[in-house]
Amino acid sequence: MPSSLTRRSFSFGLTGLLAAPAFARASSFTPAETPPMLETLKWAPKTRTRVQAVMSEYGQYSEKYDQAHRPYAVFDWDETAIVGNVQETLFHYMLEHFSFLLPAHEFRHLIHTHMPEKALPAPFTTIAGKPVSQPLLVEDILEDYRALQARYGHLPHPLSLEDLDNDPAHQAFRARMIFYYHSLRTVHGGEEAQRWVLRLLAGQTITDVLALTRAANEWGLGQSITPITWRCPPDRAGKSGVVEATFVQALRLTPEMADLFQILQEHGIDPVVCTSSLEDCTAFFATSAEYGYNIPREHIYGARLDEHKKVLLSTESAKYPFPYGSGKTAIIHKYVIAKRKRPPLMIFAGEESSAHLLSAFPETALCCLINRKQSDSMTPFLKEASSQRSSATPRLVLQGRDENTGEWIPEEASIFLGETEPRLP
């Protein structure tokens, strides 16, 4: 059997990963008599068999292999190569440690969006059930931010929790920011919410962002997977009222994906990541031997912000598609298909923004979907994958996981957070 996870260390904690050797690269691979095989691990058996079959049929051990137009597989990063979302993890960490650098008058421009002037829809009410005015909510966020900037702006960021010392302004700020983010997603959709949370990095250098990403990753990997509720203190009600917001903090590594990335490359098939998270944050995760994935940097595509003198701005790169919905498909066409003259061999999807990508390439041999609660646009693909489970050669397959532990489970059904029984779409 070829080299794989049986001869290297992979751990869900950073301690084990620090000692893990780098994965082999396709360029240094010496062909064996039989094609390299995926480890069994916790793959759904039929899904693993189908992925292996496609690699064997089109990889460099097959007569179909075309080195001049090297095959590749496209991957979402969030909720696919990892359990969780790297951008949201960074957002939560920045709120927890007040890691924002913009002056208050500049931060103000990041908060104002085209949210309605009227009250936000249910369930976005105060904890007493009263309507919340979006303009008043913004005023309260800015007031919290000014207080925190005046008190802690001179200290090195990110702030330690000891520095914040249960500050009511900090508790109110983080609760209102999560509340605002969730309301933005509901009112204007996932793409607008994603663009907003990315713009909050304005004022940071890439060095700042990567340092924050490392800290956020270590923080997230060490946290229990559980719902977390942040609430404004009663004496910090402001003009909009006392609000609270609940989010699930979940970040886990996925050894099945780490093994797949290696085996793909040993088959001469390149893994290509296309994600709506910031490209540099994703690349820090995806290219590092420390985390066990080892994807070449040139194969990572994510969201990009403009820079001025190495400081990130709140505007997105104008000539680069935003990697959400049709933007993901545009990136694959512009940066991959234009060079390789072929569609993806496989697509692995778990982000809510990938429906257009899944429908854009009917020639793609296999689409593997992470079975999770998804957006309306993704649900039909999940249901179609479920209906193809009895097929000997399905084009859409499912992979299940246990959201309570952050691990895959060896079936197509998933155990959703707070539940005990696996469910299909």
Side-chain angles (χ1 to χ4, degrees), residues 222-293:
Q223 297 292 308
S224 299
I225 297 177
T226 185
I228 297 171
T229 298
W230 286 342
R231 175 183 288 193
C232 293
D235 60 354
R236 193 85 186 177
K239 297 178 180 179
S240 58
V242 174
V243 298
E244 67 177 19
T246 299
F247 63 94
V248 176
Q249 178 53 53
L251 189 68
R252 294 293 185 268
L253 308 177
T254 303
E256 291 81 6
M257 279 292 179
D259 182 53
L260 173 59
F261 291 147
Q262 173 177 321
I263 300 303
L264 278 170
Q265 292 177 90
E266 291 179 357
H267 276 267
I269 301 167
D270 293 319
V272 174
V273 171
C274 188
T275 177
S276 56
S277 288
L278 192 73
E279 184 174 301
D280 290 288
C281 295
T282 303
F284 176 81
F285 219 150
T287 64
S288 174
E290 179 179 339
Y291 294 108
Y293 291 101

Side-chain angles (χ1 to χ4, degrees), residues 408-425:
W408 281 13
I409 55 177
E411 54 183 294
E412 290 94 344
S414 285
I415 303 173
F416 298 121
L417 188 66
E419 299 182 7
T420 58
E421 295 298 323
R423 284 200 285 156
L424 288 167

Side-chain angles (χ1 to χ4, degrees), residues 21 52 65 67 92 125 128 145 155 187 238 319 348 399 404 417:
Q52 184 68 57
Y65 189 72
Q67 177 63 41
H92 298 156
T125 64
Y145 190 84
L155 296 176
V187 174
K319 297 182 180 180
F348 292 78
Q399 175 59 52
N404 299 286
L417 188 66

Side-chain angles (χ1 to χ4, degrees), residues 192-345:
E192 182 62 30
Q194 184 69 8
R195 290 174 184 268
W196 179 78
V197 81
L198 285 162
R199 291 195 292 267
L200 295 176
L201 294 172
Q204 314 268 1
T205 66
I206 289 298
T207 301
D208 294 331
V209 170
L210 293 183
L212 284 171
T213 298
R214 171 180 283 279
N217 287 350
E218 294 181 359
W219 173 74
L221 290 168
Q223 297 292 308
S224 299
I225 297 177
T226 185
I228 297 171
T229 298
W230 286 342
R231 175 183 288 193
C232 293
D235 60 354
R236 193 85 186 177
K239 297 178 180 179
S240 58
V242 174
V243 298
E244 67 177 19
T246 299
F247 63 94
V248 176
Q249 178 53 53
L251 189 68
R252 294 293 185 268
L253 308 177
T254 303
E256 291 81 6
M257 279 292 179
D259 182 53
L260 173 59
F261 291 147
Q262 173 177 321
I263 300 303
L264 278 170
Q265 292 177 90
E266 291 179 357
H267 276 267
I269 301 167
D270 293 319
V272 174
V273 171
C274 188
T275 177
S276 56
S277 288
L278 192 73
E279 184 174 301
D280 290 288
C281 295
T282 303
F284 176 81
F285 219 150
T287 64
S288 174
E290 179 179 339
Y291 294 108
Y293 291 101
N294 292 278
I295 300 174
R297 176 63 180 87
E298 63 269 21
H299 294 165
I300 311 296
Y301 299 95
R304 298 176 183 177
L305 294 175
D306 288 327
E307 297 179 35
H308 178 67
K309 295 183 178 180
K310 299 185 178 180
V311 175
L312 292 176
L313 304 177
S314 61
T315 53
E316 298 147 15
S317 298
K319 297 182 180 180
Y320 180 81
F322 188 75
Y324 200 104
S326 61
K328 283 190 173 184
T329 306
I331 287 172
I332 297 302
H333 273 290
K334 182 175 182 178
Y335 295 98
V336 187
I337 294 177
K339 296 178 180 179
R340 306 198 186 205
K341 311 300 180 184
R342 65 187 301 167
L345 176 62

